[in-house]
Amino acid sequence: EVYSNVAQLCEQLADEELGHKQKLQQDFMMAGQAVLPMELSEYVVHSEQKTIFMDCQEFLAFAVKKEEKSVKFYKEMAEEATDARYKNIFLNLAIEEEKHKEALQKKLEDLLK
């Protein structure tokens, strides 16, 4: 039961992430707007990145960390944005990533009960 719920949640979040990508491409790349170069390695969970996880708990903990990094990234991008429209786009994406993190944390807590 828990595992199928986790799989469904991950599918839902993956669809939302694709929506985020499309939104950014539409609003920045397609419009010809340049995004300031940033040191993205600060936002990537390198040392723990893997494709095979020992169990569902390990996967969920990893996913929570990835969402935390995404929240931080979008908040910092919002701080750097000089245009109010782009600032709002980044703030809204940070809110969405925070929701993802909370949903994953909830699943992790359910699994640990």
Side-chain angles (χ1 to χ4, degrees), residues 9-93:
L9 174 63
C10 290
E11 287 178 15
Q12 175 189 343
L13 296 181
D15 287 343
E16 290 178 20
E17 294 296 348
L18 286 175
H20 294 176
K21 179 182 175 186
Q22 290 170 347
K23 176 77 172 154
L24 288 171
Q25 285 176 329
Q26 177 184 0
D27 288 338
F28 292 94
M29 294 176 213
M30 299 296 185
Q33 294 291 324
V35 177
L36 293 174
M38 297 182 66
E39 180 53 56
L40 295 179
S41 62
E42 179 182 345
Y43 305 97
V44 179
V45 185
H46 289 293
S47 62
E48 298 160 341
Q49 209 157 16
K50 36 180 135 171
T51 56
I52 299 174
F53 296 91
M54 291 179 64
D55 57 30
C56 193
Q57 178 180 339
E58 184 183 39
F59 166 75
L60 288 169
F62 174 79
V64 167
K65 287 182 184 180
K66 296 290 278 183
E67 295 297 343
E68 286 172 350
K69 296 284 187 177
S70 295
V71 170
K72 180 179 178 182
F73 172 76
Y74 286 126
K75 284 183 177 179
E76 290 186 12
M77 288 296 291
E79 289 175 14
E80 295 290 325
T82 55
D83 185 302
R85 177 174 176 233
Y86 297 132
K87 184 178 290 289
N88 286 334
I89 289 169
F90 287 128
L91 288 174
N92 286 332
L93 288 171

Side-chain angles (χ1 to χ4, degrees), residues 60 102 104-113:
L60 288 169
E102 290 171 5
L104 290 163
Q105 282 178 320
K106 171 82 170 83
K107 288 293 180 196
L108 181 56
E109 290 167 9
D110 290 348
L111 189 65
L112 296 174
K113 288 181 183 178

